[in-house]
Amino acid sequence: MPLTLSPHFSSEPSSQCDSVWRGATLVTMRDWKYNLIENGAIAVSGGQILWIGPDADCPDYPHAIEHEFDGGIITPGLVDCHTHLVFGGNRSAEFEQRLNGVSYAEIAAAGGGILSTVNATRAASEDELLAQALFRLQPLLAEGITCVEIKSGYGLSVESEIKMLRVIRRLGHMLPVEVKSTCLAAHALPPEFKDRPDDYIQLICDTLLPAIAQENLADAVDAFCEHLAFSPEQVDRVFNAAKSLGLPVKLHAEQLSSLHGSALAARHHALSADHLEYATEDDAKAMAAGGTVAVLLPGAYYLLRETQCPPVEHFRTHGVPMALASDANPGTSPALSLRLMLNMGCTLFRLTPEEALAGVTCHGARALGLQDSHGTLEAGKVADFIHWPLSRPAELVYWLGGQLPCTVIFRGHLRGEVRL
């Protein structure tokens, strides 16, 4: 697909301008497209984009700090809209066991699998969980992520889920990155509720969700709708409880089988339905009607050696926005590179580079309910953007692995190298 240029767009000039950034091609990502502005300029005021357009048309801001790049491209800040970065321990030993021929059932019978992460998470203090999460978040931030969603879901008790959510909030207060917190208590059945899934769902609805709403610990509520997790009926109860508390919802759906959880999510106008390998065209139609984003997670698809791809063509046909995310988690996607997911989204799921970049900018923002403030370069939006010394946007997808040099501007200021 050829690169296209967009006309400039701006708000009314104002004398209150902090900085002007120029000397690069702007990859605005308006309307889900590159929409380039060659030799562009961005004026910033109070952490927001004040004006954007061709440098030749930029108003004179006499008191603004000037930043001049020597070519390259500027993209919106990257959005990782689906991660599980807070958890205790890791499962690298199990990864090695599986590659040496030990079955997942044997690992689980010996106390491994998700319950090993649950036990490690429950045993860890808030400070221990924070230190481990900081270690995992550092490489993501170095790649240009300016907004990240982090889920709970490895505590599976009121006390431990709240502990995880408090850690997520602490990360957002400590670091120069927008952190959105999601409660995923309906992730798996805790051992103390063996054979009593409805009782656990009742605990989530009656006790946990009101507690996190009162403490403002979550920005959304998620659930895992699968045969090995929770039924559509149980998820429906969680969603109704969340909505009664004013919390938007998201859903892990159609990863391993087709339960039409994505259509259920769409009926609740969920922000997103995620994974979606087994989604149908009817699911895609429902998501389009419900305004629900499809979040594709190639890391888990790759590590689990799946063979059924998400129905990308159905999403295209029906205009469902497709986001990409790392799904960073200890079991199925220990991924610490969102940019690698760009390449995997194209090579494994056959996205175009333009679709992939939209997946970690405008559509990633939409999957978090942030489409009015993040994800594109437009006047009035948050001034989160990245300069890359690259010739074209497709290079972000093309280079496989490694860390590309970049300059990250977060809320209008140079973020610099993040050292934790």
Side-chain angles (χ1 to χ4, degrees), residues 46-162:
Q48 291 186 315
I49 296 175
L50 173 67
W51 185 95
I52 181 169
D55 192 18
D57 296 340
C58 185
D60 181 26
Y61 297 108
H63 303 295
I65 299 172
E66 297 280 340
H67 299 268
E68 183 82 26
F69 294 110
D70 184 18
I73 62 173
I74 293 176
T75 69
L78 303 187
V79 180
D80 195 347
C81 66
H82 182 132
T83 82
H84 306 253
L85 286 166
V86 174
F87 56 86
N90 70 73
R91 288 173 25 210
S92 59
E94 295 177 19
F95 175 71
E96 186 171 20
Q97 283 180 292
R98 289 200 304 272
L99 293 176
N100 281 310
V102 182
S103 71
Y104 183 82
E106 290 172 315
I107 292 171
I114 189 172
L115 288 184
S116 68
T117 300
V118 171
N119 290 333
T121 301
R122 288 180 173 183
S125 68
E126 276 193 32
D127 287 343
E128 289 169 335
L129 291 176
L130 181 71
Q132 293 177 50
L134 287 171
F135 170 80
R136 299 174 195 124
L137 188 53
Q138 182 175 9
L140 291 170
L141 297 188
E143 287 192 331
I145 288 176
T146 56
C147 181
V148 61
E149 184 255 23
I150 307 176
K151 305 177 190 293
S152 67
Y154 292 113
L156 305 186
S157 70
V158 172
E159 178 184 6
S160 293
E161 286 291 302
I162 287 176

Side-chain angles (χ1 to χ4, degrees), residues 78-83 85 135-145 148 296-300 302 324-329 333-345 360 388 396-397 399-404:
L78 303 187
V79 180
D80 195 347
C81 66
H82 182 132
T83 82
L85 286 166
F135 170 80
R136 299 174 195 124
L137 188 53
Q138 182 175 9
L140 291 170
L141 297 188
E143 287 192 331
I145 288 176
V148 61
L296 309 184
L297 305 171
Y302 166 79
L324 278 173
S326 69
D327 191 21
N329 76 75
S333 185
L336 299 180
S337 172
L338 182 62
R339 200 175 56 76
L340 179 60
M341 298 304 110
L342 291 173
N343 184 283
M344 292 172 71
V360 297
W388 310 85
L396 290 168
V397 182
W399 293 112
L400 184 61
Q403 190 177 109
L404 296 178

Side-chain angles (χ1 to χ4, degrees), residues 281-338:
E281 184 168 11
D282 285 342
D283 294 327
K285 291 178 181 177
M287 291 172 65
T292 298
V293 176
V295 177
L296 309 184
L297 305 171
Y301 174 92
Y302 166 79
L303 202 77
L304 293 174
R305 300 179 180 176
E306 296 288 349
T307 57
Q308 178 153 329
C309 292
V312 167
E313 202 55 52
H314 291 328
F315 295 144
R316 286 179 181 139
T317 298
H318 298 289
V320 178
M322 291 180 286
L324 278 173
S326 69
D327 191 21
N329 76 75
T332 61
S333 185
L336 299 180
S337 172
L338 182 62

Side-chain angles (χ1 to χ4, degrees), residues 11 31-32 36 89 126 148 169 186 189 192 215 236 247 249 300 336 340 354 373 375 377 379 395:
S11 64
D31 303 321
W32 308 7
L36 304 182
E126 276 193 32
V148 61
R169 283 289 192 235
L189 191 63
E192 57 269 26
E215 203 172 328
D236 191 57
L247 290 167
V249 296
L336 299 180
L340 179 60
E354 189 171 51
S373 57
L377 300 179
E395 278 197 79

Side-chain angles (χ1 to χ4, degrees), residues 179-250:
V179 176
K180 304 302 285 186
S181 173
T182 297
C183 176
L184 180 58
H187 190 197
L189 191 63
E192 57 269 26
F193 281 87
K194 188 178 187 318
D195 300 322
R196 296 190 295 126
D198 285 329
D199 290 344
Y200 181 56
I201 292 296
Q202 200 67 40
L203 176 72
I204 293 172
C205 295
D206 292 350
T207 305
L208 178 58
L209 293 185
I212 66 170
Q214 183 174 15
E215 203 172 328
N216 190 30
L217 289 176
D219 303 301
V221 172
D222 200 343
F224 189 19
C225 186
E226 269 295 346
H227 292 296
L228 52 72
F230 299 100
S231 69
E233 293 75 20
Q234 290 163 339
V235 169
D236 191 57
R237 290 168 58 191
V238 173
F239 280 5
N240 285 329
K243 291 169 67 177
S244 73
L245 295 165
L247 290 167
V249 296
K250 305 164 67 70

